[in-house]
Amino acid sequence: ARPGQLFGGPYDNNYYLGTLFQLDKDAETQDVELARGDEQIGDTLRSTLAEVISQTVERGAPRGTDFTVINRKGTPPSVEQLGER
């Protein structure tokens, strides 16, 4: 899994601008976009990345597959919707 720039807490043990100001995505940027490879550019909430990785492990995703995880404008998908992506 290849996330974009990570956003969201926890805000410890990491000293960059987003951590110093505790930047987070707004409520309108919760949708998830997945794509094969490493070509997407964007930001990823830590909570989104954690959910995508756990779903990947639970569903037994193929080995050797790399994909990007980016948050976009929209509402967060349900677990079922995320699994279909």
Side-chain angles (χ1 to χ4, degrees):
R2 299 176 183 270
Q5 179 173 324
L6 294 174
F7 271 80
Y11 297 103
D12 54 354
N13 198 25
N14 193 347
Y15 301 99
Y16 79 104
L17 190 60
T19 299
L20 293 174
F21 294 102
Q22 296 190 2
L23 297 177
D24 213 340
K25 301 313 270 174
D26 59 32
E28 296 175 5
T29 308
Q30 302 287 321
D31 195 13
V32 179
E33 186 174 331
L34 303 173
R36 287 185 181 260
D38 191 14
E39 310 249 341
Q40 287 186 312
I41 297 173
D43 301 326
T44 307
L45 288 164
R46 284 180 170 84
S47 58
T48 298
L49 181 60
E51 182 63 33
V52 168
I53 289 174
S54 69
Q55 289 295 321
T56 301
V57 170
E58 287 179 16
R59 295 175 184 271
R63 290 180 175 268
T65 301
D66 61 331
F67 59 93
T68 55
V69 181
I70 303 294
N71 284 101
R72 298 283 184 215
K73 292 281 184 191
T75 58
S78 67
V79 172
E80 293 78 23
Q81 291 171 324
L82 188 58
E84 292 170 1
R85 296 179 186 186

